[in-house]
Amino acid sequence: MPESTFNHPLFGPVRFRTASKLKWIRGDSISFVSGFDEADIVPLKIPQLAGIDGANNGHLRFHKRGHAQLLRSFEEIAQHGLLHHIKTCAGTLSKRLRKPVGGGLSKLPSNHAFGIAIDLNSDDGSMGGSVAPVAPIFQANGFLWGKSFNDPMHFEVNTFVSAGALAAEGAEAVQPQFIACGQKVHNRGAPPEAFLTELVEWGRGADDEVFERNDVFDIYSSVVSQLGPWRGELHRRAVMLEVLRVLAGFESSWKWDAGRDVTNPSSGTPCTEEAGILQCSGNSMAFSPHLRQLLVDAGGDGTCESFIRTTKSNHRFALEYCARLIRVTTKHHGPIKNGHIHSWLRRDAVDEFMRYLGHD
């Protein structure tokens, strides 16, 4: 049966295995081998959930270090008269692999397996979007809202907060979700939150192979001094997101529909014209046949003209294409080739991306 190690942002290295004997299966059941004590997931009673469908009359299992902040969240929801927004509860503990919203395979354990996540209003027709009025309360108590990765039913512990700290802090203003990731890039300003949200959503659903090790001098080789050493698959995903965050700032100031670089005298043909937020050009498809196939799979006809149109209109394609391109060459983008992005890459942004990527 497949077995792997996951470097969890809250618990550190955790060894686990899946139930399947031969291959990885989306959402497969898992068991922990080492690094995580399941005895820390213990029962608690949330009085406010009594009578809520799926909540087992308020009796749930949750990691003991998160009890205080979960209880505090529901207490404040009730105090603010917002409890009526919670219609159903899909539970907390589920020992399984992540199930990305996009339907792809993930080889990472869900945070439900660690007993630090809860799903609310999953059957409201908007994947839990109706819980929006209570989200700021969860966020103020150390939870991350799944809306940032297109899973609004989902709340999970982002930082453990003790009962004493909650009592001392009281009800404070909610901090923005993106802090480290929202840092400015050179003279381009700060990335829009909408861009960061789409970036995280893509990163959660992208195939594992986009981030796996290879024998080419690629983007990971280029930025290892700034962001390495690599600490596993989740860390490599987060590093890629940080590279794309900074590169998009340099190339277009985060404009999805950016056109050609008018200062480049060689970009006057469809195949040399830069396009989109990451300013890739159609001639870059020559670096790998897989890149042209990616365009075709996205609905293009394989020509440079369709590359320009698709890159500007299909955000997921733009991110995926650039990520795969910089895995085979670091010479297509001047800011990478000339080392301009490197001093703007942030380890704290990578850590923040890891927290956002490690959810389900």
Side-chain angles (χ1 to χ4, degrees):
M1 57 187 67
E3 188 170 314
S4 183
T5 297
F6 171 50
N7 193 10
H8 195 283
L10 296 179
F11 303 111
V14 177
R15 191 74 180 168
F16 68 96
R17 64 169 61 99
T18 66
S20 174
K21 295 182 178 180
L22 300 177
K23 62 180 181 179
W24 293 93
I25 298 175
R26 183 177 186 273
D28 199 5
S29 298
I30 66 169
S31 58
F32 293 109
V33 177
S34 63
F36 180 74
D37 189 353
E38 295 181 68
D40 288 339
I41 303 174
V42 296
L44 84 162
K45 173 67 180 292
I46 302 177
Q48 295 81 9
L49 290 182
I52 298 295
D53 287 348
N56 192 30
N57 202 33
H59 294 276
L60 301 175
R61 296 180 65 83
F62 208 74
H63 196 283
K64 64 182 183 181
R65 292 175 63 191
H67 278 203
Q69 62 206 92
L70 186 64
L71 289 168
R72 172 68 170 269
S73 296
F74 282 102
E75 289 170 1
E76 292 185 354
I77 289 170
Q79 290 169 4
H80 286 82
L82 299 174
L83 198 58
H84 65 280
H85 290 289
I86 299 177
K87 306 298 185 183
T88 63
C89 175
T92 52
L93 180 63
S94 180
K95 294 171 60 179
R96 59 170 174 80
L97 295 175
R98 282 174 40 189
K99 294 190 290 187
V101 174
L105 169 68
S106 174
K107 298 178 182 178
L108 302 178
S110 167
N111 272 327
H112 285 285
F114 297 93
I116 59 172
I118 186 169
D119 289 343
L120 301 171
N121 293 8
S122 60
D123 56 355
D124 67 355
S126 62
M127 297 186 65
S130 58
V131 300
V134 306
I137 292 176
F138 278 104
Q139 291 171 308
N141 286 302
F143 286 83
L144 183 69
W145 185 21
K147 183 181 179 182
S148 64
F149 42 89
N150 201 32
D151 193 11
M153 73 180 76
H154 183 92
F155 295 94
E156 64 177 47
V157 175
N158 187 33
T159 303
F160 284 119
V161 184
S162 68
L166 288 170
E169 292 173 3
E172 297 184 351
V174 178
Q175 297 298 314
Q177 282 192 306
F178 294 106
I179 300 174
C181 298
Q183 296 177 91
K184 73 173 185 177
V185 174
H186 192 38
N187 60 357
R188 272 59 167 186
E193 184 170 337
F195 163 76
L196 295 173
T197 298
E198 287 196 61
L199 183 61
V200 169
E201 181 181 345
W202 169 79
R204 286 175 53 81
D207 290 341
D208 291 344
E209 66 178 4
V210 178
F211 315 98
E212 291 173 347
R213 298 178 184 274
N214 62 27
D215 297 325
V216 178
F217 186 91
D218 65 353
I219 190 60
Y220 289 108
S221 310
S222 179
V223 304
V224 66
S225 296
Q226 289 73 33
L227 301 177
W230 316 130
R231 309 196 304 267
E233 194 267 353
L234 183 67
H235 184 238
R236 290 173 67 88
R237 281 181 184 256
V239 166
M240 178 64 79
L241 266 59
E242 172 61 0
V243 168
L244 295 177
R245 178 187 79 90
V246 175
L247 182 61
F250 268 89
E251 292 286 18
S252 70
S253 296
W254 304 283
K255 295 181 176 64
W256 290 106
D257 60 351
R260 64 177 287 263
D261 179 1
V262 296
T263 67
N264 183 358
S266 65
S267 65
T269 70
C271 286
T272 58
E273 177 179 330
E274 303 90 352
I277 193 168
L278 291 152
Q279 291 288 276
C280 299
S281 55
N283 60 4
S284 64
M285 291 186 285
F287 283 105
S288 169
H290 299 295
L291 295 173
R292 189 178 301 275
Q293 185 59 48
L294 188 66
L295 172 61
V296 173
D297 292 343
D301 60 12
T303 65
C304 293
E305 290 82 357
S306 71
F307 176 84
I308 294 172
R309 293 192 300 271
T310 306
T311 300
K312 292 182 179 182
S313 62
N314 187 328
H315 297 182
R316 293 185 67 88
F317 170 80
L319 296 171
E320 177 104 1
Y321 184 91
C322 185
R324 290 182 179 272
L325 174 61
I326 60 180
R327 291 305 313 278
V328 297
T329 182
T330 58
K331 297 180 179 180
H332 186 70
H333 293 87
I336 296 177
K337 180 174 64 175
N338 299 320
H340 296 156
I341 71 167
H342 294 64
S343 64
W344 294 94
L345 298 169
R346 300 286 183 260
R347 289 181 181 270
D348 57 348
V350 172
D351 291 340
E352 191 170 79
F353 275 133
M354 285 182 69
R355 291 196 294 272
Y356 298 152
L357 288 170
H359 318 303
D360 178 45

